[in-house]
Structure formats: structure tokens, C-alpha cells
Amino acid sequence: MKIATWNVNSIRTRLDLVTQWLQATAVDVLCLQETKVTDADFPQAPFVELGYHCYVYGQKSYNGVALISRAPLDRVNTGFAPVVDVAEPDLDQQKRVIQGVLGEVCLVNLYVPNGSAVGSEKYDYKLRWLKQLRLYLQALLSSYPNLLVCGDFNVALDDRDIHDPSGREQMVMATDAERTALTHALLELGLADGFRKFHLDGGHFSWWDYRAAAFRRNLGWRIDHHYLSAPLYERAIACTIDVAPRQLPQPSDHTPVIIELED
DNA sequence: ATGGCCTTGGCTCAAGGA
């Protein structure tokens, strides 16, 4: 079973690129982030024609997540609220969480807030959101021992995941507070970064800034991840970053990351 | 040192992204 995660930065702008990639790559589930479209306007037909089912949770202009699955998913739900109490209602107002069940596996697709600038209101929101995420995943794990959490985490877990980590403590996506919050929300619950089962060195990136020819110069970050509970970590047999879509005209600034689990 | 580009909305500039 192959599960891909890809922040597409507008599904409508990227529709041809994404459907062509899907035809060539044929993953079982494609988890999209930053779809930037309401559910009514999500372009489902091209995916249905390719034999996929679409589960979407989006809003106008910002955010938005979707699960594109070859097999129908069970018990799809959206946001934190169906799983756990949300003490601060603003944490569930943006469309960033969608979850579904495929056989014995619970899939969670996340778009973690960006955080804007260190110390900003959005940065504070990101840290609060990650605290809420821990409660959400803790509750899910009690029902689903086979848990896979993927998406755009907007955090580089360690210095290997940044082309140049110097001065990182002032850089959003790289501060100790963000790393600690992500570690609390995922690793301390027993979920492990699938990519690191196969690749221990640095220099592997999933996002490159549009500006300053960052892709050409390979000035990237690895911020798109798959986290796996222990039984699924055991079953992981590959995790790869496909840089090809980032090289095409009018790309997303992120490129897909694919994990393969033994069936 | 700074900004560098791309997307959306709705109107040509502002905001958000990372």
C-alpha cells in the first residue's frame, strides 16, 4: 500500500499536474493540503475518472485538505471535534484535518498552521494547534493501533531537514518551541517519522521557496512527513520524495512524499 | 541586509504562505 502526501498550493491551479502525477504513480491514497477550495467547488470528476474516491474538507482561498483514495474509506471525519474536546474553538475554525479508515489503518491528513513569523499571533496559534493535535492523536490511538499521520507539518524536526540551519532559532518552522510541540504531539505518543527509517542523512527536502531560485539551488526544507504507530512502522518498506513534479512548469512549492507499507 | 515568488479575491493591490 502506497500513501502519498502533497501540499499542492491550490488544487484548481494544479489539477492537471496532480492528475497526471497520479496516473503515473498510482498511489492507493493521495493526501492533499492547501486545496484552497470549498467542498462544492472541489474538482472531483478528474479523480473519479481515474478510479479514485474523494473526501474533501476545504474553504475559500486558504487551507483545505482532501483524501483521494482508490478504495472507499470508512468513518471519514473532519476537524478535531468529532474525536476530542476542543477547548479553544478557534483551533477548529480553519479546515486543516481530515481522517478516514482504510481496512485496519486509520489515516490522518493534516495541514499544520504555518506560523508566519516567530512571536506573532499566528505563531502562537500554531503552538496551541499542536497542543490540540496531541490530544486528538492520543484519543485516536486508543481506538486505532494502526495509525498513519501525514501531511504538511510546517516544522523541520531537526537540522538535517534544513539546507542551512544557521540562525534557525529565529526562523519559523525551525524553533525549539515548534520542534518540542511536534515531538509532544507525535513522537512521544509512539509515532515515528517513516522517512527516517530509510534515510539518515541530511539534504532530503520536500519544500523549496518559490523565491531566489531556491529549487535550482536546492535550498530546501523537509517539512512534509509520515508518522507511523509501531505496527505500521514495522510494515514500512520504503519512503521516497518525488522531486519530479517540482521541476515541471507552474509547480507547487512542495513535492510529493510517498510511503510504502507491506500489505 | 533585504527581498526574491506564487495564489486568491476581486480589482490591480493586499494578504498569506514558509
Side-chain angles (χ1 to χ4, degrees), chain A residues 10 13-14 34 61 111 114 173 211-212:
Chain A
S10 171
T13 297
R14 227 66 65 197
E34 273 207 281
S61 306
Y111 176 44
N114 165 272
M173 306 196 294
R211 296 170 292 185

Short mmCIF file of all heavy atoms in Angstrom, two decimals, chain A residues 10 13-14 34 61 111 114 173 211-212, chain B residues 4-10 16-18:
data_model
loop_
_atom_site.label_atom_id
_atom_site.label_comp_id
_atom_site.label_asym_id
_atom_site.label_seq_id
_atom_site.Cartn_x
_atom_site.Cartn_y
_atom_site.Cartn_z
N SER A 10 -3.23 25.08 -4.01
CA SER A 10 -4.40 25.27 -4.90
C SER A 10 -4.61 24.07 -5.83
O SER A 10 -3.86 23.90 -6.79
CB SER A 10 -4.32 26.55 -5.73
OG SER A 10 -5.36 26.54 -6.70
N THR A 13 -5.53 25.22 -9.54
CA THR A 13 -4.37 25.61 -10.35
C THR A 13 -3.51 24.41 -10.73
O THR A 13 -2.92 24.37 -11.80
CB THR A 13 -3.53 26.64 -9.58
OG1 THR A 13 -4.32 27.79 -9.37
CG2 THR A 13 -2.28 27.02 -10.33
N ARG A 14 -3.46 23.42 -9.85
CA ARG A 14 -2.53 22.30 -10.02
C ARG A 14 -3.23 21.04 -10.55
O ARG A 14 -2.66 19.96 -10.57
CB ARG A 14 -1.91 21.96 -8.66
CG ARG A 14 -0.41 21.78 -8.67
CD ARG A 14 0.36 23.00 -9.00
NE ARG A 14 0.21 24.03 -7.98
CZ ARG A 14 0.51 25.30 -8.18
NH1 ARG A 14 0.97 25.72 -9.34
NH2 ARG A 14 0.33 26.20 -7.21
N GLU A 34 -3.61 22.34 1.38
CA GLU A 34 -3.76 23.65 0.74
C GLU A 34 -4.52 23.56 -0.57
O GLU A 34 -4.08 24.08 -1.60
CB GLU A 34 -2.41 24.36 0.54
CG GLU A 34 -1.99 25.16 1.76
CD GLU A 34 -1.08 26.34 1.43
OE1 GLU A 34 0.12 26.11 1.23
OE2 GLU A 34 -1.57 27.47 1.38
N SER A 61 -10.06 30.17 -0.54
CA SER A 61 -8.77 30.88 -0.50
C SER A 61 -7.66 30.25 0.33
O SER A 61 -6.49 30.31 -0.05
CB SER A 61 -8.92 32.32 0.00
OG SER A 61 -9.89 32.99 -0.74
N TYR A 111 -2.86 19.66 7.74
CA TYR A 111 -2.15 20.86 7.29
C TYR A 111 -1.89 21.72 8.51
O TYR A 111 -2.76 22.46 8.97
CB TYR A 111 -2.98 21.60 6.23
CG TYR A 111 -2.36 22.91 5.77
CD1 TYR A 111 -1.00 22.99 5.48
CD2 TYR A 111 -3.12 24.05 5.63
CE1 TYR A 111 -0.43 24.17 5.07
CE2 TYR A 111 -2.57 25.24 5.22
CZ TYR A 111 -1.22 25.30 4.94
OH TYR A 111 -0.66 26.49 4.54
N ASN A 114 1.09 27.47 9.43
CA ASN A 114 2.43 27.93 9.04
C ASN A 114 3.15 28.67 10.16
O ASN A 114 4.35 28.49 10.38
CB ASN A 114 2.29 28.81 7.79
CG ASN A 114 3.51 29.61 7.53
OD1 ASN A 114 3.67 30.72 8.04
ND2 ASN A 114 4.41 29.05 6.77
N MET A 173 9.26 27.47 11.61
CA MET A 173 9.43 26.07 11.18
C MET A 173 10.66 25.40 11.77
O MET A 173 10.86 24.20 11.57
CB MET A 173 9.48 25.88 9.65
CG MET A 173 8.31 26.47 8.90
SD MET A 173 8.18 25.86 7.23
CE MET A 173 9.68 26.52 6.49
N ARG A 211 10.95 31.74 -4.26
CA ARG A 211 11.82 32.90 -4.50
C ARG A 211 13.29 32.48 -4.58
O ARG A 211 13.68 31.42 -4.11
CB ARG A 211 11.64 33.92 -3.36
CG ARG A 211 10.25 34.50 -3.33
CD ARG A 211 10.02 35.31 -2.08
NE ARG A 211 9.99 34.46 -0.90
CZ ARG A 211 9.71 34.90 0.32
NH1 ARG A 211 9.46 36.17 0.52
NH2 ARG A 211 9.70 34.08 1.32
N ALA A 212 14.07 33.36 -5.14
CA ALA A 212 15.53 33.25 -5.11
C ALA A 212 16.05 31.95 -5.74
O ALA A 212 17.11 31.46 -5.36
CB ALA A 212 16.05 33.39 -3.67
P DG B 4 10.41 41.49 -2.99
OP1 DG B 4 9.89 42.60 -3.81
OP2 DG B 4 9.60 40.92 -1.90
"O5'" DG B 4 10.83 40.33 -3.97
"C5'" DG B 4 11.83 40.55 -4.96
"C4'" DG B 4 12.47 39.22 -5.31
"O4'" DG B 4 13.46 38.89 -4.32
"C3'" DG B 4 11.49 38.06 -5.24
"O3'" DG B 4 10.71 37.95 -6.43
"C2'" DG B 4 12.40 36.87 -4.94
"C1'" DG B 4 13.49 37.49 -4.08
N9 DG B 4 13.30 37.25 -2.66
C8 DG B 4 12.25 37.62 -1.85
N7 DG B 4 12.39 37.28 -0.61
C5 DG B 4 13.60 36.63 -0.58
C6 DG B 4 14.31 36.03 0.51
O6 DG B 4 13.96 35.96 1.68
N1 DG B 4 15.52 35.47 0.07
C2 DG B 4 16.00 35.49 -1.21
N2 DG B 4 17.16 34.91 -1.43
N3 DG B 4 15.36 36.06 -2.22
C4 DG B 4 14.17 36.60 -1.83
P DC B 5 11.02 37.41 -7.81
OP1 DC B 5 12.44 37.08 -8.02
OP2 DC B 5 10.35 38.43 -8.61
"O5'" DC B 5 10.16 36.08 -7.91
"C5'" DC B 5 10.70 34.82 -7.56
"C4'" DC B 5 9.52 33.89 -7.27
"O4'" DC B 5 9.03 34.15 -5.93
"C3'" DC B 5 8.34 34.08 -8.20
"O3'" DC B 5 7.87 32.76 -8.52
"C2'" DC B 5 7.30 34.83 -7.37
"C1'" DC B 5 7.63 34.30 -5.97
N1 DC B 5 7.28 35.20 -4.84
C2 DC B 5 6.52 34.70 -3.79
O2 DC B 5 6.17 33.50 -3.83
N3 DC B 5 6.19 35.51 -2.76
C4 DC B 5 6.60 36.78 -2.74
N4 DC B 5 6.26 37.53 -1.69
C5 DC B 5 7.39 37.30 -3.80
C6 DC B 5 7.70 36.50 -4.83
P DC B 6 7.04 32.47 -9.82
OP1 DC B 6 7.64 31.29 -10.45
OP2 DC B 6 6.83 33.71 -10.57
"O5'" DC B 6 5.62 32.06 -9.23
"C5'" DC B 6 5.50 30.89 -8.42
"C4'" DC B 6 4.25 30.99 -7.59
"O4'" DC B 6 4.38 32.05 -6.64
"C3'" DC B 6 2.97 31.29 -8.37
"O3'" DC B 6 2.16 30.13 -8.31
"C2'" DC B 6 2.34 32.48 -7.64
"C1'" DC B 6 3.08 32.46 -6.30
N1 DC B 6 3.16 33.78 -5.63
C2 DC B 6 2.59 33.93 -4.36
O2 DC B 6 2.00 32.96 -3.85
N3 DC B 6 2.67 35.13 -3.74
C4 DC B 6 3.29 36.13 -4.32
N4 DC B 6 3.35 37.30 -3.66
C5 DC B 6 3.88 36.01 -5.61
C6 DC B 6 3.80 34.83 -6.22
P DT B 7 0.80 30.07 -9.12
OP1 DT B 7 0.61 28.68 -9.56
OP2 DT B 7 0.77 31.17 -10.10
"O5'" DT B 7 -0.28 30.42 -8.02
"C5'" DT B 7 -0.60 29.49 -6.99
"C4'" DT B 7 -1.64 30.09 -6.09
"O4'" DT B 7 -1.07 31.25 -5.45
"C3'" DT B 7 -2.87 30.59 -6.84
"O3'" DT B 7 -3.99 29.79 -6.49
"C2'" DT B 7 -3.04 32.05 -6.41
"C1'" DT B 7 -2.07 32.21 -5.27
N1 DT B 7 -1.42 33.55 -5.25
C2 DT B 7 -1.54 34.33 -4.12
O2 DT B 7 -2.17 33.98 -3.14
N3 DT B 7 -0.91 35.54 -4.18
C4 DT B 7 -0.18 36.04 -5.24
O4 DT B 7 0.35 37.14 -5.18
C5 DT B 7 -0.10 35.17 -6.39
C7 DT B 7 0.66 35.63 -7.61
C6 DT B 7 -0.71 33.99 -6.35
P DT B 8 -5.36 30.05 -7.21
OP1 DT B 8 -6.08 28.78 -7.21
OP2 DT B 8 -5.12 30.77 -8.47
"O5'" DT B 8 -6.08 31.07 -6.22
"C5'" DT B 8 -6.27 30.71 -4.85
"C4'" DT B 8 -6.87 31.89 -4.10
"O4'" DT B 8 -5.89 32.94 -4.02
"C3'" DT B 8 -8.08 32.49 -4.80
"O3'" DT B 8 -9.21 32.39 -3.96
"C2'" DT B 8 -7.71 33.95 -5.09
"C1'" DT B 8 -6.51 34.19 -4.20
N1 DT B 8 -5.50 35.09 -4.80
C2 DT B 8 -5.05 36.18 -4.06
O2 DT B 8 -5.47 36.44 -2.95
N3 DT B 8 -4.11 36.95 -4.69
C4 DT B 8 -3.58 36.76 -5.95
O4 DT B 8 -2.74 37.52 -6.40
C5 DT B 8 -4.08 35.60 -6.65
C7 DT B 8 -3.57 35.31 -8.03
C6 DT B 8 -5.01 34.83 -6.05
P DG B 9 -10.65 32.67 -4.51
OP1 DG B 9 -11.60 31.86 -3.70
OP2 DG B 9 -10.63 32.55 -5.97
"O5'" DG B 9 -10.84 34.21 -4.13
"C5'" DG B 9 -10.81 34.60 -2.76
"C4'" DG B 9 -10.88 36.11 -2.66
"O4'" DG B 9 -9.68 36.69 -3.19
"C3'" DG B 9 -12.04 36.74 -3.44
"O3'" DG B 9 -12.62 37.76 -2.63
"C2'" DG B 9 -11.37 37.31 -4.68
"C1'" DG B 9 -10.01 37.72 -4.11
N9 DG B 9 -8.92 37.80 -5.08
C8 DG B 9 -8.65 36.97 -6.13
N7 DG B 9 -7.59 37.32 -6.81
C5 DG B 9 -7.13 38.46 -6.16
C6 DG B 9 -6.02 39.28 -6.43
O6 DG B 9 -5.19 39.17 -7.33
N1 DG B 9 -5.92 40.34 -5.53
C2 DG B 9 -6.78 40.56 -4.49
N2 DG B 9 -6.53 41.61 -3.72
N3 DG B 9 -7.82 39.79 -4.22
C4 DG B 9 -7.94 38.77 -5.09
P DG B 10 -13.97 38.43 -3.05
OP1 DG B 10 -14.60 38.82 -1.79
OP2 DG B 10 -14.69 37.59 -4.02
"O5'" DG B 10 -13.49 39.75 -3.80
"C5'" DG B 10 -12.59 40.67 -3.18
"C4'" DG B 10 -11.97 41.53 -4.26
"O4'" DG B 10 -11.34 40.70 -5.25
"C3'" DG B 10 -12.99 42.38 -5.04
"O3'" DG B 10 -12.35 43.56 -5.47
"C2'" DG B 10 -13.29 41.51 -6.25
"C1'" DG B 10 -11.92 40.95 -6.53
N9 DG B 10 -11.89 39.71 -7.29
C8 DG B 10 -12.86 38.73 -7.34
N7 DG B 10 -12.54 37.72 -8.10
C5 DG B 10 -11.28 38.05 -8.58
C6 DG B 10 -10.42 37.35 -9.45
O6 DG B 10 -10.62 36.25 -9.99
N1 DG B 10 -9.23 38.04 -9.67
C2 DG B 10 -8.91 39.25 -9.13
N2 DG B 10 -7.74 39.76 -9.45
N3 DG B 10 -9.72 39.91 -8.30
C4 DG B 10 -10.87 39.26 -8.08
P DG B 16 -3.32 38.04 6.49
OP1 DG B 16 -4.51 37.73 7.28
OP2 DG B 16 -2.19 38.83 7.04
"O5'" DG B 16 -2.72 36.68 5.95
"C5'" DG B 16 -3.58 35.75 5.30
"C4'" DG B 16 -2.74 34.75 4.59
"O4'" DG B 16 -2.09 35.39 3.47
"C3'" DG B 16 -1.63 34.13 5.44
"O3'" DG B 16 -1.92 32.75 5.59
"C2'" DG B 16 -0.35 34.38 4.63
"C1'" DG B 16 -0.88 34.70 3.24
N9 DG B 16 -0.02 35.57 2.44
C8 DG B 16 0.50 36.78 2.79
N7 DG B 16 1.23 37.32 1.86
C5 DG B 16 1.20 36.40 0.83
C6 DG B 16 1.81 36.42 -0.45
O6 DG B 16 2.53 37.29 -0.94
N1 DG B 16 1.51 35.27 -1.18
C2 DG B 16 0.73 34.24 -0.74
N2 DG B 16 0.56 33.21 -1.57
N3 DG B 16 0.15 34.20 0.45
C4 DG B 16 0.43 35.31 1.17
P DG B 17 -1.00 31.81 6.53
OP1 DG B 17 -1.90 30.77 7.04
OP2 DG B 17 -0.18 32.63 7.44
"O5'" DG B 17 -0.03 31.15 5.46
"C5'" DG B 17 -0.58 30.43 4.36
"C4'" DG B 17 0.50 30.21 3.36
"O4'" DG B 17 0.94 31.48 2.83
"C3'" DG B 17 1.76 29.53 3.89
"O3'" DG B 17 2.02 28.39 3.11
"C2'" DG B 17 2.86 30.56 3.70
"C1'" DG B 17 2.31 31.35 2.53
N9 DG B 17 2.91 32.66 2.35
C8 DG B 17 2.96 33.70 3.24
N7 DG B 17 3.57 34.74 2.76
C5 DG B 17 3.97 34.36 1.48
C6 DG B 17 4.68 35.07 0.49
O6 DG B 17 5.13 36.21 0.52
N1 DG B 17 4.86 34.30 -0.66
C2 DG B 17 4.41 33.02 -0.82
N2 DG B 17 4.66 32.42 -1.98
N3 DG B 17 3.74 32.35 0.10
C4 DG B 17 3.56 33.07 1.22
P DA B 18 2.49 26.99 3.82
OP1 DA B 18 2.25 25.85 2.93
OP2 DA B 18 1.92 26.99 5.18
"O5'" DA B 18 4.06 27.26 3.94
"C5'" DA B 18 4.88 27.07 2.82
"C4'" DA B 18 6.30 27.46 3.16
"O4'" DA B 18 6.40 28.89 3.31
"C3'" DA B 18 6.83 26.85 4.45
"O3'" DA B 18 8.17 26.45 4.24
"C2'" DA B 18 6.80 28.01 5.44
"C1'" DA B 18 7.08 29.18 4.53
N9 DA B 18 6.57 30.48 4.98
C8 DA B 18 5.46 30.74 5.73
N7 DA B 18 5.26 32.01 5.95
C5 DA B 18 6.31 32.63 5.30
C6 DA B 18 6.68 33.97 5.15
N6 DA B 18 5.99 34.99 5.68
N1 DA B 18 7.79 34.25 4.44
C2 DA B 18 8.48 33.23 3.91
N3 DA B 18 8.23 31.93 3.98
C4 DA B 18 7.13 31.69 4.69
#
